[in-house]
Every structure is written in structure tokens, then in C-alpha cells.
Amino acid sequence: MSTRAHVIIKEWDNQIHLYHHHDGYPEGIGIQLKNVVHKLAEDPEYRTRDLIQGKLIPGDDSYAPALCLHGDEEYIYVIDCVEKSIKCYQHEWDTSLEDTIRPENEIEIN
């Protein structure tokens, strides 16, 4: 069974939502996404626009645009390009996005 995830990339008023079908747990894409955020913070040449266009990891085409939650995501990641931060939230299948993105649902990415 696959571990699905939803990724939200925010920059000012822009947002893109992406769906990831497998390896969505914090020890999987969580680490990869955390590295993307570190690169965003450390490298002035790294373009926020690439993140907004969904080009998270070069050569990785496993992220698909999403208009809403599919309903089967176990984790939701929020990348803030202005703050240069990432947060991970445990998502219950019958919970709305707004109810998931709360401090009590946040999980640390190691």
C-alpha cells in the first residue's frame, strides 16, 4: 500500500497544491522536501518560481497538480517560500484541510 501526501507551496498570495502517490511519509519525501527548503534558504540562485511550478526535485515527476485533497492522503506538507520553512501534518482521511493544518497535528521531520 502506498503512503500518499499532499504538498502545498506558498509564496505571498500564490499557492500550488501537489499530490504525491507514494513514499509520502516524513522519512520519505519529508526529508526530500526539507532538503529543498534548505536549498531555497541557502542558495540565492535557487528559484522560488520552480517550486511554485511544481519542480520540487529535478528529474522527479511523481508530483501531480491537485485542485483539492484526494481524500487518501496521510500527510500534508506546507512549504512557505517566504519564511523558508516546511511543516508536516498528520492527516486523517475524513478531516478537512483546514482542520488538519493545526499545531496539534504537526509532525517533526527528522
Side-chain angles (χ1 to χ4, degrees):
M1 185 171 181
S2 297
T3 303
R4 293 158 176 91
H6 189 88
V7 180
I8 302 169
I9 302 168
K10 302 181 345 180
E11 181 186 42
W12 307 112
D13 291 335
N14 297 323
Q15 279 192 16
I16 186 170
H17 292 247
L18 303 170
Y19 177 75
H20 195 270
H21 187 70
H22 58 85
D23 295 336
Y25 46 89
E27 298 82 13
I29 68 163
I31 297 295
Q32 292 176 336
L33 295 175
K34 188 174 181 179
N35 290 336
V36 167
V37 172
H38 282 279
K39 186 173 181 180
L40 179 65
E42 295 173 358
D43 184 356
E45 297 297 316
Y46 195 74
R47 296 172 176 247
T48 303
R49 183 182 71 227
D50 290 338
L51 292 179
I52 294 296
Q53 291 174 349
K55 298 175 185 174
L56 295 173
I57 300 166
D60 185 351
D61 62 353
S62 60
Y63 295 87
L67 298 175
C68 61
L69 290 178
H70 286 184
D72 60 354
E73 295 91 339
E74 294 181 47
Y75 298 98
I76 296 177
Y77 297 89
V78 179
I79 296 174
D80 187 322
C81 294
V82 176
E83 297 292 325
K84 299 181 178 36
S85 66
I86 182 171
K87 293 186 179 181
C88 176
Y89 301 91
Q90 182 80 43
H91 176 69
E92 297 295 329
W93 292 8
D94 60 346
T95 306
S96 71
L97 183 61
E98 294 78 18
D99 286 339
T100 296
I101 301 177
R102 297 177 185 257
E104 61 268 19
N105 297 326
E106 190 172 344
I107 298 172
E108 186 175 343
I109 303 171
N110 294 321

